[in-house]
Amino acid sequence: MSLDSEDSPSPSFDRDWFFPSPSFIHESPPKSPKSHRRFPTTPKHFPDSILSKSQSFRPSSSIPPPATSKYGILRRRVEFPRPLIKPSKQEQHDSFLDRKPVVPSEKKQSTEKVSSGPSVHRVRFRWDLTITVAIVITALASSVHKNFTLHNQVIDLQDQILKLNVTLRACNSFSNVDASDSVMQEIDDYDYGGDNGLKNLALIVSLTLLAIPVLAFKYIDFVSTSRSSGNIWEAVLLNKQLAYRVDVFLSVRPYAKPLALLVATLLVICLGGLAMFGVTNDSLADCLWLSWTFVADSGNHANSEGIGPRLVSVSISFGGMLIFAMMLGLVSDAISEKFDSLRKGRSKVVEQNHTLILGWSDKLGSLLNQLAIANESLGGGIVVVMAERDKEEMEMDIAKMEFDFKGTFVICRSGSPLILADLKKVSVSKARAIIVLAEDGNADQSDARALRTVLSLIGVKEGLKGHIVVELSDLDNEVLLKLVGGDLVETVVAHDVIGRLMIQCARQPGLAQIWEDILGFENCEFYIKRWPQLHGMQFEDILISFPDAIPCGIKVASFGGKIILNPEDSYVLQEGDEVLVIAEDDDSYAPAALPTVWRGSLPKDSIVPKPAERILFCGWRRDMEDMIMVLDAFLAQGSELWMFNDVPEKERERKLIDGGLDLSRLENIQLVNREGNTVIRRHLESLPLQSFDSILILADESVEDSAMQADSRSLATLLLIRDIQSKRLPMSNQVHGGSFSQDTWIGEMQQASDKSVIISEILDPRTKNLLSMSKISDYVLSNELVSMALAMVAEDQQINDVLKELFAEEGNELQIRQADLYLFEGEELSFYEVLIRARQRREIVIGYRVSNAERAVINPPAKSERRRWSLKDVFVVIAEKEWE
């Protein structure tokens, strides 16, 4: 065990111990009488690693040989430190392929025992499995080749026997030439029509091509490539690269799946045809056709005979079943995708002259109803709705709407109006009118989205056939939208329209119903048309030229198509001018001969100016400053405006000033601020409710996003105010009237409604029935009125100028006049005669309401028939504002 004998060196026991030193080779080994082994089998003091490496070289005997005098003594090996060697790039690459970390040579012995664990067994198992598979494949291929070789040899022997028999028969009959020819033909027939070597080559090629994908799929994990990412080299497995390329190909190419199916089908047919050509006596063309029949119908292989043809036909049929399954899945996916596209509204709308609605809001139901009524005279129309909602949800909501579409079809599509591809999907360039609805929520965000939608519409390359009607939420944004859209865009500011209507209806009770009749398509509405037969006539004569319509203005061609509402009687209709009328439909009126009309004088020469009023605003709107300015222009000097809401007084002044209102410039009204909650009774009782001429209940800014919540709040405020008013009335003034008894709470509220006018801003149409039944409020149905205005402007772009003038505080407006301004008590006059008398004050009478009727009659029939009038009757006129 020590180093005491230097002349007897012992062999080294490291990894290369099997190779002895030169001195050891030249010396003659000692002879052992008992054993011929040179090395001991199991030295007990050896390391385990050395033992594990040397086990394959040991003999079967485990008995150690006796130690000789020269080599039997074992000496300890002295190891000296070696310099650390850095592994090369080739070693790193090889270690990556073997899935093992690169370890320096000095550390291999320290990690040898650890690495000889599961990883070594896994590698050995893979190599053993590989060798086994290779042996099995080789044996199988050898047996198959030997089988086919023997088969070919048998065929060759049969051919030789046949030829010898034929030769023998030919020798017996030398003189028969025909027999010789038949013999040679028979030889050719039994030649089996082909070269056996070519058939073997075809069979080997088909098997090789079939085995290449299997082997590649099996061992592709061991192949990697290197790529550079900056200064870092990264190894990427080939299977991951192939998977990525296939994924990109299937994602980018629209016809990748059918192309892959076609390639797979051709491969199966070609490989099957080659294999069939190798095992049969048919030609290559016939084998390819036979392979196709096996792919198309897996039952065709039942007639195959022989082991080879049957194996090949079964393989081809199995491939055909796989291809059929792939084709079935591909067709099923395509059909499902198409139905899903149709269900979700992704298909293109192939229509023209249709009405396109972009967006979704609570006004859509009323808008569709008005468009359906407008298209009734045409036998129906097409309305396309595109919104960022699911198509099925939109169709379900539209189906729940309780009105008759009168032949109009509504088509829904899912998409965004900000995307040009979605706009083209609904044939935006062929629509005769485009309506952009405002979104529910913040006014500025809604108007900003409407502006972006208009920019998208203008950016359509094909251009727009129709005009654009945009619903805005804030009046301040109208200028910006007009700047972008120009004459192509018409705006309807919903909040401003409702505010102006509420002010007009508060000053003139019953005007809300008249506006509903004029704006809606159910009764009479505005139409503009050219009548060449009226050229050269004065407007005074034109007024009585239409038995079924009432002229209201002239579209003057010389003024660039400007509409003059309520022109002078002396205006002469020029060529190119058009007449604005109120009629039931665009094809329901025509000019006729002038009737005979008696012209009389007015009972009164002037209208008594209206005195100062006291008006109450309950709630706060975001456009309060605009309503105050409009009210200051309408009311007489000395009027008072009370504002009752929960906004602090200082905050109110700041909001009004920020909105552009100069309190010092108010001429006719004086502001009175009161703070409180409009749905708390004790707060309302602090107000002198019985002293107000008009009370406006506004949809509060804090809850206007929710129509139901805003209407509930407005309805609660209305009932509380009417109840407080009825309790404060003297008993002598509570007169029975209406269909309810004065002892009931509705009867008491009806009595209070005769003393003051209450206008409620209602957003949900369902709340209308409650107020109509009780008759305790002259309501304004805001969403429905805005929808009517949008539908009217969509049908005719020019009507928007008429509506803007009628809603404005200057110029002409709708007014309700008492009958004593035009006739005497019991006087019999025709409607034409009343119309002519009203022209003495430059007013146009468009309808009337008798004293015992609930609704006014606009554009009455039989205008030439006389009837007896009462001073309690009222007339609806278009006139200019006459008081300040």
Side-chain angles (χ1 to χ4, degrees), residues 733-750:
N733 291 338
Q734 295 186 3
V735 182
H736 174 73
S739 58
F740 296 94
S741 172
Q742 65 179 8
D743 297 332
T744 63
W745 64 275
I746 293 184
E748 294 176 354
M749 292 181 184
Q750 286 181 354

Side-chain angles (χ1 to χ4, degrees), residues 503 625-639 641 661-663 665-670 809 881 883-884:
I503 292 175
E625 62 278 358
D626 296 330
M627 294 187 66
I628 292 176
M629 288 188 288
V630 173
L631 200 60
D632 182 66
F634 275 119
L635 296 181
Q637 191 172 8
S639 301
L641 174 60
L661 178 63
D662 189 358
L663 300 177
R665 299 184 62 181
L666 296 178
E667 299 178 356
N668 299 326
I669 62 174
Q670 179 182 358
E809 61 272 15
K881 187 172 72 72
W883 56 77
E884 298 180 356

Side-chain angles (χ1 to χ4, degrees), residues 839-854:
R839 290 304 299 169
Q840 298 180 24
R841 267 198 291 268
R842 199 177 170 181
E843 297 175 353
I844 300 177
V845 180
I846 62 174
Y848 61 88
R849 186 181 68 184
V850 297
S851 58
N852 56 353
E854 295 182 357

Side-chain angles (χ1 to χ4, degrees), residues 502 617-621 624 627 696-700 714 761:
M502 292 184 68
F617 279 179
C618 290
W620 183 272
R621 284 166 54 109
M624 185 67 78
M627 294 187 66
L696 277 68
I697 302 177
L698 311 176
D700 201 87
S714 299
E761 183 179 5

Side-chain angles (χ1 to χ4, degrees), residues 409-659:
F409 295 95
V410 181
I411 302 174
C412 298
R413 287 292 180 269
S414 297
S416 173
L418 305 179
I419 302 176
L420 291 178
D422 291 343
L423 291 177
K424 292 181 180 179
K425 183 173 62 178
V426 293
S427 301
V428 63
S429 59
K430 299 179 181 179
R432 64 185 180 93
I434 305 171
I435 303 175
V436 181
L437 295 179
E439 291 185 342
D440 298 332
N442 185 271
D444 294 332
Q445 294 180 0
S446 176
D447 291 349
R449 183 176 179 83
L451 179 62
R452 293 195 297 269
T453 302
V454 172
L455 289 174
S456 300
L457 293 172
I458 295 177
V460 176
K461 294 182 180 180
E462 294 81 2
L464 299 179
K465 178 181 179 181
H467 59 284
I468 306 172
V469 184
V470 183
E471 178 194 0
L472 292 178
S473 301
D474 197 336
L475 184 61
D476 297 335
N477 300 322
E478 184 180 14
V479 179
L480 182 60
L481 204 66
K482 276 289 188 181
L483 182 64
V484 172
D487 296 335
L488 190 64
V489 176
E490 295 293 336
T491 59
V492 176
V493 186
H495 227 54
D496 182 67
V497 169
I498 298 305
R500 294 175 183 273
L501 284 176
M502 292 184 68
I503 292 175
Q504 292 185 12
C505 297
R507 294 175 52 250
Q508 303 182 70
L511 198 59
Q513 175 259 318
I514 297 173
W515 269 115
E516 284 188 4
D517 293 342
I518 293 178
L519 291 178
F521 287 95
E522 293 183 357
N523 298 302
C524 296
E525 53 274 353
F526 291 103
Y527 294 100
I528 299 178
K529 189 179 294 186
R530 181 179 303 174
W531 301 99
Q533 60 268 38
L534 299 180
H535 290 167
M537 293 181 59
Q538 294 184 350
F539 184 74
E540 182 181 14
D541 297 330
I542 295 175
L543 279 173
I544 56 177
S545 298
F546 294 91
D548 301 315
I550 299 177
C552 302
I554 301 295
K555 181 181 178 182
V556 183
S558 59
F559 288 175
K562 181 180 180 181
I563 298 178
I564 299 178
L565 200 61
N566 189 17
E568 297 181 355
D569 291 342
S570 58
Y571 179 81
V572 178
L573 192 67
Q574 304 295 328
E575 184 178 358
D577 292 348
E578 300 180 27
V579 181
L580 172 69
V581 301
I582 294 179
E584 186 176 358
D585 208 344
D586 57 350
D587 57 352
S588 63
Y589 69 99
L594 293 178
T596 302
V597 178
W598 176 72
R599 300 174 182 268
S601 59
L602 294 174
K604 296 182 180 179
D605 294 336
S606 62
I607 300 176
V608 179
K610 200 170 184 179
E613 302 178 41
R614 177 180 284 187
I615 297 179
L616 172 64
F617 279 179
C618 290
W620 183 272
R621 284 166 54 109
R622 62 174 180 271
D623 60 344
M624 185 67 78
E625 62 278 358
D626 296 330
M627 294 187 66
I628 292 176
M629 288 188 288
V630 173
L631 200 60
D632 182 66
F634 275 119
L635 296 181
Q637 191 172 8
S639 301
E640 292 183 356
L641 174 60
W642 289 53
M643 293 189 298
F644 178 71
N645 49 70
D646 53 2
V647 180
E649 185 175 350
K650 294 183 179 179
E651 184 70 15
R652 296 181 199 175
E653 294 181 0
R654 185 188 64 81
K655 288 185 176 183
L656 293 176
I657 294 175
D658 292 344

Side-chain angles (χ1 to χ4, degrees), residues 11-13 17 39-52 54 58 74-75:
S12 177
F13 291 96
W17 62 270
F39 302 107
T41 306
T42 55
K44 298 182 180 180
H45 59 278
F46 280 8
D48 296 339
S49 61
I50 298 178
L51 291 176
S52 62
S54 60
R58 299 171 187 165
L74 299 176
R75 292 185 298 175

Side-chain angles (χ1 to χ4, degrees), residues 29-248:
K31 297 181 180 180
S32 177
K34 294 183 179 180
S35 175
H36 298 283
R37 296 171 188 166
R38 180 176 297 179
F39 302 107
T41 306
T42 55
K44 298 182 180 180
H45 59 278
F46 280 8
D48 296 339
S49 61
I50 298 178
L51 291 176
S52 62
K53 291 185 177 182
S54 60
Q55 285 176 359
S56 60
F57 301 96
R58 299 171 187 165
S60 59
S61 176
S62 62
I63 304 174
T68 61
S69 60
K70 193 172 184 178
Y71 303 104
I73 301 175
L74 299 176
R75 292 185 298 175
R76 181 178 302 173
R77 180 188 175 199
V78 179
E79 296 183 357
F80 297 95
R82 300 177 183 178
L84 184 64
I85 300 175
K86 184 177 181 180
S88 62
K89 292 185 177 180
Q90 183 64 26
E91 292 180 1
Q92 294 179 2
H93 185 69
D94 296 340
S95 65
F96 178 82
L97 295 179
D98 296 338
R99 300 296 193 276
K100 296 181 181 180
V102 178
V103 183
S105 59
E106 291 76 8
K107 296 183 180 180
K108 285 183 179 180
Q109 291 184 359
S110 61
T111 60
E112 193 169 350
K113 185 175 294 186
V114 178
S115 63
S116 63
S119 61
V120 175
H121 293 294
R122 190 182 303 111
V123 174
R124 288 182 179 178
F125 176 75
R126 286 185 177 180
W127 280 108
D128 295 342
L129 180 62
T130 304
I131 294 173
T132 304
V133 172
I135 293 173
V136 171
I137 293 176
T138 304
L140 181 61
S142 177
S143 62
V144 172
H145 182 267
K146 186 175 181 180
N147 184 16
F148 284 111
T149 302
L150 293 176
H151 181 70
N152 293 332
Q153 291 178 0
V154 170
I155 294 176
D156 293 339
L157 292 176
Q158 290 177 353
D159 292 343
Q160 293 178 6
I161 293 172
L162 178 63
K163 290 180 180 179
L164 292 175
N165 292 329
V166 172
T167 305
L168 181 61
R169 284 187 294 171
C171 292
N172 295 329
S173 56
F174 289 101
S175 60
N176 193 351
V177 180
D178 296 334
S180 177
D181 294 338
S182 62
V183 168
M184 298 305 298
Q185 181 66 30
E186 188 175 358
I187 293 174
D188 294 337
D189 293 338
Y190 281 95
D191 195 19
Y192 294 97
D195 188 7
N196 293 330
L198 184 62
K199 292 181 179 293
N200 293 334
L201 180 61
L203 183 61
I204 294 173
V205 169
S206 62
L207 291 177
T208 304
L209 293 178
L210 187 63
I212 287 176
V214 177
L215 296 177
F217 180 78
K218 177 66 178 177
Y219 299 104
I220 197 173
D221 293 340
F222 299 96
V223 182
S224 65
T225 59
S226 300
R227 67 181 182 184
S228 176
S229 177
N231 296 327
I232 302 175
W233 285 87
E234 180 183 1
V236 182
L237 294 178
L238 185 59
N239 62 342
K240 294 184 178 180
Q241 289 189 358
L242 291 178
Y244 171 72
R245 298 298 179 186
V246 172
D247 185 20
V248 172

